[in-house]
Amino acid sequence: MNETAFDEPLFASLKPGLASFCYRMLGSMDDADDAVQETSIRVWQSWSTFRQDSSFKTWVYRIASNLCLDKLRQSKRRALPVDLFDPAVAIVEPRDTLPDSAWIWPSPDFGGNPEDQLVRRETLQLCFIALLQTLPPRQRAVLILKDVFEWSSKQIAETLAMSPAAVNSALQRARETMDRAQLRSDELSSMDVQPEQQLLSRYVEAFEQFDIAALVALFHEEGCMSMPPFEMWIRGKEDLSAFYSLTRWHCEGSRFVPITVNGGYPALAQYMPGKEGSGLVPWGIHVIETKENQILHVQNFIHTPLFSRFGLPERIDQ
């Protein structure tokens, strides 16, 4: 193979799987895209050195894994607001934020690679991505390749330059850490269950009409809302009502566009009135998790670059 030109279609066939691997490792599709692009460059540059002592796929994932590990050595753990802070005590307009690099962000689909369709969808839940970020980087890579991609210990050892025994040891420690981790986002998550369409429709109607009483009535008694990059999050119907009343001026007149995130989970893209008064502009991506057909947690990801990543328009009619 090393005597031929770089096989671009062969690498392209691996890209959806690489993107999903890098997203689980890094918690951000921006970082994952950068890692896949850099992997492509390094594969192309190193093509002539590929000796077929391992499969092409293993070789490519070795390059991608090393890139992810390098990125993680230089960065802090990404998280979700409910895992970093307690719910707000005083209901005020949110002001304090953390940088975009601090947060886990939702992801669009990775493409139509048949192999990627076999990867368990629950491992794309936002709470699972948050749990992964609690692991040391190399343990994280081992667990993803073994428990998500179902690779053999031998193939993982070749990819990560470890012995099979070291792989098994790292896997055991990673599983123990995941079992012990007590993240609030995990407790609030029910993304393995699709929200009922009727509940989503009622949420859209109440929000677009900004009927606060109807909106709050959809929430579970312990329901909450978080808004990365803001640190503040709200818990309980009384505080939710107070918050919606306080921010009515900002959200009134919004419209939603339905989308899917993280392996096909339904979500809503919120557009709000623009300053110019002509049309609606991107604001946030609402991911709604439910319990007993009530809203348990709305994660409103306020990060407008997500809209172009999801292929959404820059503006819609009012």
Side-chain angles (χ1 to χ4, degrees):
M1 187 183 292
N2 57 315
E3 296 176 356
T4 65
F6 173 50
D7 192 335
E8 206 164 328
L10 183 58
F11 180 80
S13 70
L14 297 178
K15 284 181 74 172
L18 279 174
S20 64
F21 169 76
C22 293
Y23 173 67
R24 289 176 175 89
M25 284 290 292
L26 303 171
S28 157
M29 273 309 299
D30 285 342
D31 284 1
D33 278 351
D34 289 346
V36 172
Q37 179 62 25
E38 183 62 27
T39 298
S40 175
I41 292 169
R42 294 195 184 184
V43 168
W44 179 75
Q45 291 174 336
S46 307
W47 183 254
S48 63
T49 68
F50 177 54
R51 303 299 180 190
Q52 300 188 56
D53 54 345
S54 62
S55 73
F56 175 69
K57 181 177 178 180
T58 299
W59 181 62
V60 169
Y61 271 82
R62 182 184 307 155
I63 293 170
S65 299
N66 286 335
L67 282 164
C68 287
L69 293 173
D70 287 344
K71 281 179 176 286
L72 290 168
R73 289 188 191 100
Q74 301 165 20
S75 62
K76 294 182 179 179
R77 168 193 156 199
R78 289 180 179 268
L80 296 166
V82 295
D83 293 326
L84 295 182
F85 306 100
D86 289 329
V89 176
I91 304 305
V92 297
E93 287 187 32
R95 299 189 183 280
D96 295 333
T97 64
L98 291 180
D100 293 344
S101 60
W103 304 112
I104 291 165
W105 299 105
S107 162
D109 293 335
F110 296 106
N113 188 330
E115 180 183 356
D116 198 51
Q117 303 303 317
L118 300 176
V119 175
R120 291 181 298 167
R121 185 180 143 201
E122 65 267 24
T123 66
L124 280 172
Q125 292 179 21
L126 288 163
C127 67
F128 186 81
I129 302 299
L131 280 170
L132 285 173
Q133 309 310 302
T134 66
L135 297 176
R138 192 167 291 273
Q139 287 184 28
R140 192 182 313 174
V142 168
L143 185 132
I144 293 168
L145 291 174
K146 184 68 173 180
D147 286 358
V148 178
F149 286 79
E150 298 181 349
W151 284 21
S152 68
S153 295
K154 179 177 182 293
Q155 190 176 8
I156 297 170
E158 292 174 356
T159 301
L160 299 178
M162 302 167 68
S163 68
V167 166
N168 292 333
S169 175
L171 179 64
Q172 181 180 348
R173 294 196 304 274
R175 287 172 174 168
E176 289 171 352
T177 299
M178 294 276 278
D179 288 342
R180 285 197 310 270
Q182 294 182 337
L183 296 186
R184 191 182 276 122
S185 60
D186 193 31
E187 296 170 10
L188 292 172
S189 178
S190 59
M191 286 184 69
D192 55 329
V193 179
Q194 294 274 350
E196 290 193 9
Q197 185 56 50
Q198 186 180 18
L199 180 62
L200 290 178
S201 297
R202 289 163 63 199
Y203 180 82
V204 169
E205 181 181 2
F207 199 105
E208 290 186 348
Q209 294 181 1
F210 221 74
D211 183 337
I212 294 174
L215 188 57
V216 172
L218 299 176
F219 280 82
H220 189 275
E221 201 60 43
E222 291 298 311
C224 57
M225 177 180 59
S226 57
M227 305 153 286
F230 294 103
E231 300 174 4
M232 175 185 181
W233 64 278
I234 316 296
R235 182 170 220 167
K237 288 189 174 187
E238 186 177 338
D239 284 354
L240 284 165
S241 181
F243 183 79
Y244 283 131
S245 298
L246 186 66
T247 57
R248 174 187 286 277
W249 67 272
H250 184 272
C251 290
E252 203 164 23
S254 293
R255 293 290 180 269
F256 284 116
V257 174
I259 60 171
T260 59
V261 302
N262 290 58
Y265 192 82
L268 300 162
Q270 178 192 352
Y271 287 78
M272 56 170 282
K275 293 180 180 178
E276 298 83 6
S278 58
L280 303 173
V281 297
W283 176 245
I285 304 292
H286 294 224
V287 180
I288 299 172
E289 299 170 310
T290 61
K291 178 181 181 181
E292 299 167 353
N293 202 28
Q294 293 178 301
I295 295 173
L296 186 61
H297 186 196
V298 175
Q299 299 187 74
N300 183 7
F301 293 91
I302 302 171
H303 187 51
T304 54
L306 286 172
F307 282 69
S308 59
R309 175 166 293 287
F310 280 89
L312 292 162
E314 295 180 1
R315 184 180 296 267
I316 63 174
D317 294 333
Q318 202 148 5

